[in-house]
Amino acid sequence: MKILAFDIGGTNIKYALCDENFNISDKHTIPTEAHKGGQAIVQKVIGIIEEYDGIDRVAVSTAGQVDSKNGIVVYSTDNIPYYTGMMVKKIIENKTGIPTFVENDVNAFALGEAHFGAGKGCSDFLCLTYGTGIGGALYLNNKLYKGLSSSAGEFGHIITHAGGKQCTCGGEGCYECYASTKALVDAVNKANSTNLDAFQIFEPENFQKPEIRSVIDKWIDEMIIGLINIIYVFNPPLIVLGGGIMNEDYVIDLIDRKIYNLLMENFKKVNIVRSKLGSNSALLGVAYEASKL
């Protein structure tokens, strides 16, 4: 079986081929150009599909709240405008004739980690990914828990600062306004009149500057606030953290050093780890589900 898997984020679209043994090959990354809206993104995906021959299944992981049964984006913030209501599965299948599976990106991440990564062998765990926003997923009793309207796990929109910054969801003080990778980049550049991206912030010549390090440390404290709230609600055995920023050892190490001193005793058994699959998690998660169509 030949599966073409996509991972649509607010900044980039990753795509790759996956075989029946879930080996990833021919992987690419292109800009999402989210400002052009949902229709343009889906057309971009279709254009890529049409470049390949012999594809048996299409698998799509995407930002936004997704009804995976019908392959519809039931809600999206303004990170991707005009995406709410997009019938991704139907549009792709009608154009290409290829059976297509669509899932929320963090749910896809959780499925990848459950079957192939850090969550393998664990029946209950939570996932959070940090990027343009913060996404979440609940993997409970060996399956995804999606809630009443396929929207469970919106950890990025829990309120950590009442009356705080305006969020793209329309609310104020959301977790992702303070603890997303975008929030870090914005805070560093505002405080230091720089134009650094997330990777440049952690380059030695920048990371070693006290004024940048203090912003990073404050940002990690914001991450910890949200994680503590989530731990107190779910009391999970495992939390898997994803997003490119988690490749930075300093981030995961400082979370580990600080968070257990702040938790009540009965909650300290939680194991907080980074993804084992990195940027392949969501691709493998949707490919696994698409293989069952």
Side-chain angles (χ1 to χ4, degrees), residues 124-262:
D124 301 274
F125 64 92
L126 309 180
C127 290
L128 288 93
T129 59
Y130 296 79
T132 306
I134 297 174
L138 308 161
Y139 193 83
L140 306 175
N141 296 319
N142 288 305
K143 62 182 180 180
L144 288 173
Y145 175 79
K146 296 189 178 184
L148 178 62
S149 55
S150 302
S151 304
E154 278 289 359
F155 298 141
H157 299 289
I158 61 175
I159 307 300
T160 57
H161 293 263
K165 296 177 183 178
Q166 186 73 36
C167 183
T168 56
C169 74
E172 295 179 342
C174 292
Y175 182 37
E176 70 178 40
C177 293
Y178 299 87
S180 64
T181 303
K182 180 180 184 300
L184 170 65
V185 171
D186 290 348
V188 167
N189 289 328
K190 182 179 179 181
N192 299 279
S193 299
T194 51
N195 190 29
L196 303 174
D197 63 26
F199 301 104
Q200 291 169 332
I201 287 170
F202 286 90
E203 289 175 352
E205 64 270 26
N206 297 314
F207 180 70
Q208 291 169 6
K209 294 178 180 178
E211 62 272 21
I212 288 180
R213 182 76 66 86
S214 67
V215 175
I216 294 170
D217 288 354
K218 183 177 179 181
W219 169 72
I220 292 172
D221 286 342
E222 295 286 355
M223 296 176 76
I224 289 170
I225 288 170
L227 287 169
I228 287 172
N229 286 329
I230 292 163
I231 290 166
Y232 282 157
V233 172
F234 293 99
N235 192 21
L238 174 68
I239 296 178
V240 183
L241 304 181
I245 202 72
M246 288 303 155
N247 292 326
E248 303 294 342
D249 290 340
Y250 183 80
V251 177
I252 195 76
D253 290 348
L254 192 54
I255 290 172
D256 191 65
R257 290 204 307 270
K258 283 189 169 185
I259 195 167
Y260 295 101
N261 293 327
L262 301 171

Side-chain angles (χ1 to χ4, degrees), residues 6-288:
F6 293 84
D7 182 14
I8 301 170
T11 304
N12 294 311
I13 297 173
K14 302 178 186 72
Y15 64 96
L17 290 172
C18 186
D19 64 20
E20 63 274 8
N21 295 316
F22 303 103
N23 297 306
I24 293 284
S25 64
D26 194 34
K27 186 176 176 183
H28 303 272
T29 301
I30 60 173
T32 305
E33 298 180 298
H35 64 279
K36 293 183 178 179
Q39 186 68 41
I41 291 171
V42 176
Q43 292 306 314
K44 183 179 288 194
V45 167
I46 289 171
I48 293 168
I49 296 168
E50 291 175 340
E51 294 174 0
Y52 288 83
D53 294 322
I55 299 298
D56 299 297
R57 300 287 187 274
V58 172
V60 179
S61 156
T62 181
Q65 299 167 10
V66 175
D67 169 5
S68 59
K69 180 179 179 181
N70 297 300
I72 300 171
V73 178
V74 295
Y75 178 74
S76 174
T77 69
D78 287 341
N79 286 336
I80 302 180
Y82 313 114
Y83 206 27
T84 298
M86 189 67 63
M87 301 173 74
V88 179
K89 174 182 170 70
K90 183 177 180 180
I91 293 169
I92 293 174
E93 289 183 344
N94 285 351
K95 184 66 176 178
T96 67
I98 303 171
T100 299
F101 176 79
V102 184
E103 181 57 276
N104 162 268
D105 52 359
V106 192
N107 283 341
F109 174 90
L111 288 167
E113 294 295 328
H115 295 296
F116 308 106
K120 189 172 182 180
C122 185
S123 63
D124 301 274
F125 64 92
L126 309 180
C127 290
L128 288 93
T129 59
Y130 296 79
T132 306
I134 297 174
L138 308 161
Y139 193 83
L140 306 175
N141 296 319
N142 288 305
K143 62 182 180 180
L144 288 173
Y145 175 79
K146 296 189 178 184
L148 178 62
S149 55
S150 302
S151 304
E154 278 289 359
F155 298 141
H157 299 289
I158 61 175
I159 307 300
T160 57
H161 293 263
K165 296 177 183 178
Q166 186 73 36
C167 183
T168 56
C169 74
E172 295 179 342
C174 292
Y175 182 37
E176 70 178 40
C177 293
Y178 299 87
S180 64
T181 303
K182 180 180 184 300
L184 170 65
V185 171
D186 290 348
V188 167
N189 289 328
K190 182 179 179 181
N192 299 279
S193 299
T194 51
N195 190 29
L196 303 174
D197 63 26
F199 301 104
Q200 291 169 332
I201 287 170
F202 286 90
E203 289 175 352
E205 64 270 26
N206 297 314
F207 180 70
Q208 291 169 6
K209 294 178 180 178
E211 62 272 21
I212 288 180
R213 182 76 66 86
S214 67
V215 175
I216 294 170
D217 288 354
K218 183 177 179 181
W219 169 72
I220 292 172
D221 286 342
E222 295 286 355
M223 296 176 76
I224 289 170
I225 288 170
L227 287 169
I228 287 172
N229 286 329
I230 292 163
I231 290 166
Y232 282 157
V233 172
F234 293 99
N235 192 21
L238 174 68
I239 296 178
V240 183
L241 304 181
I245 202 72
M246 288 303 155
N247 292 326
E248 303 294 342
D249 290 340
Y250 183 80
V251 177
I252 195 76
D253 290 348
L254 192 54
I255 290 172
D256 191 65
R257 290 204 307 270
K258 283 189 169 185
I259 195 167
Y260 295 101
N261 293 327
L262 301 171
L263 288 168
M264 288 191 288
E265 196 64 34
N266 286 345
F267 294 84
K268 291 184 178 182
K269 292 181 180 180
V270 60
N271 190 19
I272 302 173
V273 301
R274 75 178 101 195
S275 162
K276 280 190 176 180
L277 304 174
S279 62
N280 288 337
S281 295
L283 294 171
L284 286 168
V286 284
Y288 180 85

